[in-house]
């Protein structure tokens, strides 16, 4: 929610940068309020009986908004997460990596997983790779976190396209780029 509009337009513009979104499923540093990434039914200070909101699927949101590289990893599978971050940083265009993390103080305490190690085991037991998910039914995927690279494509990078447009205009080519004004 905080910065969501900026995030959407950065995806849309395909600016050459990597956004790392650390998702601990809660606003843990400001009192344990539920967030747009809190899974339905999970508890927080502002949802003592469980959140009734559907959580954003950050992967789908980023892809739908136009990001050209989208991945999700988690802190239990640290080597995979590291590889996704490296790959994203090398991608030309807007790359998004959702890093699913733990928050034993707020999320864990409110959802009966207060021990840090138990939260890590919960991640281990509730994640499946993109390849595994492709072979599973929607029912089998309920409450699973799908990790890995979800999407990658190539598209014109915003700053390069803007520089090209300005150079064309300065060169006197008034028609160049009119249909693609930035």
């Amino acid at each position: 929610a905080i910065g969501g509009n900026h995030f959407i337009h950065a995806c849309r513009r395909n600016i050459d940068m990597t956004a790392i979104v650390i998702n601990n499923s809660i606003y843990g540093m400001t009192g344990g309020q539920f967030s747009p990434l809190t899974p339905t039914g999970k508890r927080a200070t502002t949802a003592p009986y469980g959140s009734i909101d559907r959580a954003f699927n950050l992967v789908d949101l980023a892809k739908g908004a136009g990001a050209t590289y989208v991945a999700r990893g988690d802190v239990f599978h640290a080597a995979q997460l590291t590889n996704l971050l490296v790959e994203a940083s090398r991608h030309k265009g807007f790359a998004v990596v959702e890093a699913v993390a733990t928050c034993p103080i707020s999320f864990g305490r409110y959802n009966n997983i207060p021990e840090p190690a138990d939260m890590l085991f919960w991640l281990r037991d509730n994640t499946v790779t993109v390849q595994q998910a492709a072979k599973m039914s929607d029912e089998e995927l309920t409450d699973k976190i799908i990790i890995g690279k979800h999407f990658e494509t190539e598209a014109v990078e915003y700053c390069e396209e803007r520089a090209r447009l300005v150079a064309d205009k300065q060169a006197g080519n008034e028609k160049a780029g009119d249909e693609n004004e930035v």
Side-chain angles (χ1 to χ4, degrees):
I2 300 169
N5 191 44
H6 301 292
F7 176 79
I8 290 168
H9 291 290
C11 291
R12 178 179 67 86
R13 289 184 171 135
N14 196 37
I15 297 169
D16 188 26
M17 63 189 306
T18 301
I20 302 166
V21 180
I22 300 172
N23 174 7
N24 66 2
S25 300
I26 201 162
Y27 287 124
M29 294 179 65
T30 60
Q33 304 91 336
F34 76 95
S35 80
L37 298 175
T38 301
T40 304
K42 296 300 182 184
R43 297 180 324 152
T45 58
T46 52
Y49 305 112
S51 173
I52 60 172
D53 290 351
R54 291 179 294 151
F56 275 133
N57 180 327
L58 193 61
V59 164
D60 290 346
L61 177 64
K63 182 180 175 187
T68 53
Y69 179 97
V70 182
R72 178 187 292 128
D74 70 281
V75 295
F76 180 83
H77 300 93
Q80 180 199 39
L81 178 57
T82 300
N83 291 336
L84 292 170
L85 291 167
V86 168
E87 188 174 328
S89 71
R90 293 178 176 156
H91 176 80
K92 182 68 171 182
F94 195 74
V96 177
V97 177
E98 178 183 6
V100 180
T102 61
C103 180
I105 300 301
S106 291
F107 186 82
R109 182 174 48 151
Y110 287 107
N111 291 284
N112 300 316
I113 320 170
E115 296 300 322
D118 290 338
M119 290 199 81
L120 288 172
F121 295 139
W122 184 91
L123 280 174
R124 177 198 63 197
D125 297 341
N126 289 283
T127 54
V128 295
T129 65
V130 170
Q131 295 78 11
Q132 291 169 318
K135 300 173 187 171
M136 297 171 70
S137 70
D138 288 344
E139 185 176 288
E140 292 172 311
L141 288 171
T142 300
D143 297 327
K144 295 294 184 192
I145 300 167
I146 304 171
I147 57 174
K149 180 168 61 173
H150 286 255
F151 178 75
E152 183 174 25
T153 191
E154 292 183 22
V156 175
E157 194 275 333
Y158 183 86
C159 297
E160 288 178 358
E161 181 64 9
R162 187 175 189 293
R164 184 204 59 78
L165 177 66
V166 169
D168 283 353
K169 294 293 183 177
Q170 288 175 342
N173 188 358
E174 292 300 319
K175 293 278 186 191
D178 285 344
E179 69 280 354
N180 294 321
E181 286 291 331
V182 179

